[in-house]
Amino acid sequence: MSNEILLDVRHLKTYFPIKNGLFSKVTGYVKAVDDVSFQIRKGETLGLVGESGCGKTTTGKSILRLNEYAAGEVFFEGQDIMKLNRSDMRKMRREMQLIYQDPYSSLNPRMSIGDIIAEPLEIHGISEGTERAKRVNELLSVVGLSPYHAKRYPHEFSGGQRQRIGIARALALNPKLIVCDEPVSALDVSIQSQILNLLDELQDEFGLTYLFIAHGLAVVKHISDRVGVMYLGKMVEICGSDELYGNPLHPYTEALMSAIPIPDPSLERHRILLEGDVPSPVNPPSGCRFHTRCRKAFAKCKEVEPELIDVGNDHQVACHLCMICKTAKTE
């Protein structure tokens, strides 16, 4: 893994308008991603975790400009992709690809596997005829399938095989960054491990960089170099994988960690149960967005929004309590 920054996301905001009435008047906004910043180094895997609706997938799609953003900057190899026009952005997408969550709905049932994998090559005008067919066969072999599968259709494959096809399609243009949008959540546990191992192997072979979005913290630990935790459109903690799992600081992260099953029936983990429901992203709470469910919240948490601060060991956390502890140690 290099120290060179491949992707630099700065204060990204993605809001979706709420329209009501006969004239579709905008009456509010769903603040799906609200001021999120992070970096990914070349050859690194950054895991992004959190509850459903926290903004993980929207963050990934906004980076690829599949969603329109409200504000912020996204630098890919030093170039602000938010300022690119349609033509330049189309060229940039050769470097940035997406693996979808659902291997069933992400493949066109009316196209053969060979045509699905070759489609990016056709769109970008890369290779033709026998050269393109050769490339398709190479990609099938790379993801553990056989060239004769190219003439088959998606319904003839299992879920794990379909996700391998999706991975082959993402690799077709030799991208540098792949956004993996919960690529194993729809698969059986045994198949999940095969796909994760495949992604690891491909990263080593092709020098890929991943933004790996997932619900399962155990899955993220297996594949990620660093992990970011999101809650209600905000990044609340980000650090190295071993650091996060060994020393979670944000109360929300602690609660997520307590839900990870221990594969030993003789051991028991103290479960931290979060009270109440996740607030609406249309009208998020003032101050810290987690204070309505936090067992450690105090007066300041309800009034002042915490900043993402470095507490040492490249560990960043947005929590007033951690700021107090850091100040006390410094003094």
Side-chain angles (χ1 to χ4, degrees), residues 42-287:
K42 284 187 176 181
E44 179 183 42
T45 298
L46 175 67
L48 203 56
V49 300
E51 294 174 286
S52 295
C54 72
K56 306 182 302 295
T57 295
T58 304
T59 297
K61 290 186 176 180
S62 297
I63 289 170
L64 301 176
R65 281 185 58 179
L66 298 177
N67 290 326
E68 287 300 321
Y69 68 102
E73 298 172 307
V74 177
F75 291 91
F76 183 81
E77 293 189 318
Q79 185 174 14
D80 188 355
I81 66 172
M82 296 302 188
K83 295 180 180 179
L84 298 179
N85 58 35
R86 184 185 295 270
S87 176
D88 290 338
M89 189 61 216
R90 183 173 181 174
K91 296 176 183 176
M92 180 62 74
R93 287 211 175 98
R94 292 180 57 173
E95 309 290 344
M96 310 166 69
Q97 289 292 304
L98 175 67
I99 298 173
Y100 293 90
Q101 175 180 357
D102 188 353
Y104 293 90
S105 62
S106 64
L107 304 178
N108 189 333
R110 298 180 180 179
M111 294 176 66
S112 69
I113 298 309
D115 289 340
I116 288 173
I117 297 174
E119 188 175 26
L121 302 173
E122 181 180 353
I123 291 172
H124 290 273
I126 300 174
S127 70
E128 292 181 353
T130 56
E131 186 179 348
R132 185 178 295 174
K134 182 181 178 182
R135 174 62 175 160
V136 169
N137 291 339
E138 289 175 353
L139 289 166
L140 285 170
S141 298
V142 162
V143 297
L145 297 175
S146 299
Y148 67 81
H149 285 139
K151 295 183 179 180
R152 296 187 178 182
Y153 288 81
H155 72 272
E156 300 180 68
F157 295 88
S158 66
Q161 288 175 321
R162 292 190 191 196
Q163 198 58 288
R164 289 175 185 268
I165 295 164
I167 293 171
R169 177 176 57 187
L171 290 173
L173 299 173
N174 292 317
K176 296 177 181 177
L177 172 70
I178 296 182
V179 176
C180 306
D181 183 16
E182 302 190 40
V184 297
S185 63
L187 306 177
D188 293 338
V189 175
S190 60
I191 306 301
Q192 286 183 12
S193 61
Q194 294 178 18
I195 297 300
L196 291 175
N197 290 335
L198 174 62
L199 290 172
D200 265 339
E201 294 168 4
L202 295 174
Q203 184 173 41
D204 293 338
E205 184 175 353
F206 299 109
L208 298 171
T209 302
Y210 295 140
L211 174 61
F212 191 90
I213 299 167
H215 281 105
L217 284 166
V219 170
V220 172
K221 182 180 181 181
H222 175 81
I223 197 170
S224 301
D225 299 298
R226 289 188 303 133
V227 180
V229 182
M230 288 188 68
Y231 180 79
L232 205 62
K234 291 279 189 181
M235 188 76 76
V236 298
E237 189 165 5
I238 183 169
C239 62
S241 179
D242 292 338
E243 171 71 12
L244 186 79
Y245 286 83
N247 183 34
L249 296 179
H250 198 281
Y252 177 61
T253 309
E254 292 178 344
L256 293 180
M257 293 293 181
S258 73
I260 300 177
I262 300 176
D264 186 342
S266 64
L267 298 177
E268 184 177 354
R269 189 192 298 275
H270 173 63
R271 180 71 188 274
I272 301 173
L273 298 177
L274 298 178
E275 298 181 357
D277 297 324
V278 179
S280 170
V282 177
N283 186 26
S286 60

